[in-house]
Amino acid sequence: MRQARLLARALGPVRTGDPAATILDIGCGDGSAAAVAAEVLTGHRLVGVDWSQDALRRARTRIPWAVRGELADGGLPFATGSADAVLFSEVIEHLVDPDAALDELRRVLRPGGHLMLSTPNLAAWYNRGLLLAGVQPVFSEVSMRGIHGRPGTQVVGHLRLYTARALRGFLTASGFEAVRIAGAPYHDVPRPLRPLDRAACRVPSLASILLAHARRAGG
C-alpha cells in the first residue's frame, strides 16, 4: 500500500479525457498485492504479469488483466515504451541476473516512466545488531534446504540483498534517474518490536524494506 500510494502521487489524478496510465505489476503472484494497489490507483490500467499459470488463474479472480510473461527467455510480452509505470515488488532479491531484469523493465517503460521497486534491506536496524553478534542477517540465505545461523524458519530463495546505498547506485547504473528511497516495515518482526520497526522507516537506510521510486532516464 505504501508503494501504491507513492505511485499514485507520482502519476497524479486521472482527469476527464486523459488516457489511463498503463501500470505493469511484474511478478504479481496471485494478484492480492495488485488488488490492494488498485484501491489507490483508480482510473489507471493495472496489468498483472507472472510466469506461473496457476498464479495467473488466481490473479484473474482479483484483477481485470493478468498475462503470462518472463524477464528472461525472450522478455516481457509488451512493446518498447508501452508502460507508464512498473511495480516490481519483492522480486529482484530472487533473481540470478538482476542486471538483465532491469534492462527489460527499462525497455518496456516509456521515457520518464516510473519504476516502483521494493526489496528487503540487508542493513535493516536489527541486521546491524545481528552482524555485530556474529549472527547471519535476516533475509539472507546460505542454503536452499534449510535455515542456518539466522532467525526464522522459512527458506525463501533470496539470492541478492541490497542496502539503500547499493540499490540507489544499481538503479542509476541501470539507466534510471531521480532515485528516491523510502522505508517500510516487515510483517514478520516480533510483535513487541513492531513499533521500533515502524519508527525505523523514518530513516530508510535502517528500515526493514526498501521502497525505491525511480524514473527511466530520457524523459
Side-chain angles (χ1 to χ4, degrees):
M1 182 58 78
R2 288 181 183 226
Q3 192 177 49
R5 285 174 179 154
L6 288 171
L7 179 56
R9 286 197 292 269
L11 291 173
V14 179
R15 295 180 174 83
T16 302
D18 288 347
T22 297
I23 303 166
L24 307 180
D25 183 8
I26 308 297
C28 68
D30 66 5
S32 54
V36 171
E39 296 175 13
V40 295
L41 293 168
T42 305
H44 299 299
R45 184 185 301 107
L46 184 58
V47 181
V49 184
D50 206 282
W51 66 271
S52 166
Q53 293 288 10
D54 180 60
L56 290 171
R57 279 192 292 270
R58 288 177 285 155
R60 290 181 183 121
T61 68
R62 295 183 170 96
I63 54 178
W65 299 285
V67 300
R68 191 177 189 281
E70 298 186 53
L71 290 163
D73 300 325
L76 297 168
F78 302 100
T80 298
S82 59
D84 298 288
V86 164
L87 295 172
F88 201 49
S89 303
E90 316 297 308
V91 175
I92 198 168
E93 63 270 16
H94 299 276
L95 300 181
V96 173
D97 191 350
D99 301 271
L102 286 189
D103 286 346
E104 182 62 3
L105 298 184
R106 187 176 183 278
R107 181 190 70 79
V108 299
L109 278 169
R110 63 169 173 77
H114 302 274
L115 172 64
M116 311 298 297
L117 182 154
S118 65
T119 191
N121 182 12
L122 176 61
W125 61 275
Y126 41 80
N127 278 347
R128 299 183 186 214
L130 290 173
L131 277 171
L132 285 174
V135 178
Q136 187 79 13
V138 175
F139 309 125
S140 65
E141 310 271 48
V142 300
S143 169
M144 297 299 289
R145 298 178 180 175
I147 297 299
H148 302 285
R150 72 159 173 83
T153 59
Q154 184 180 11
V155 175
V156 292
H158 290 172
L159 303 178
R160 310 284 179 180
L161 287 175
Y162 300 84
T163 65
R165 180 181 297 183
L167 183 59
R168 185 188 303 275
F170 180 44
L171 289 171
T172 300
S174 299
F176 293 90
E177 60 188 10
V179 180
R180 294 185 292 277
I181 307 289
Y186 177 45
H187 67 87
D188 214 22
V189 167
R191 188 175 296 276
L193 297 177
R194 289 179 186 175
L196 183 56
D197 193 42
R198 288 192 295 270
C201 294
R202 299 172 188 169
V203 184
S205 62
L206 297 176
S208 286
I209 305 296
L210 301 172
L211 302 179
H213 175 203
R215 304 193 71 171
R216 180 191 160 181

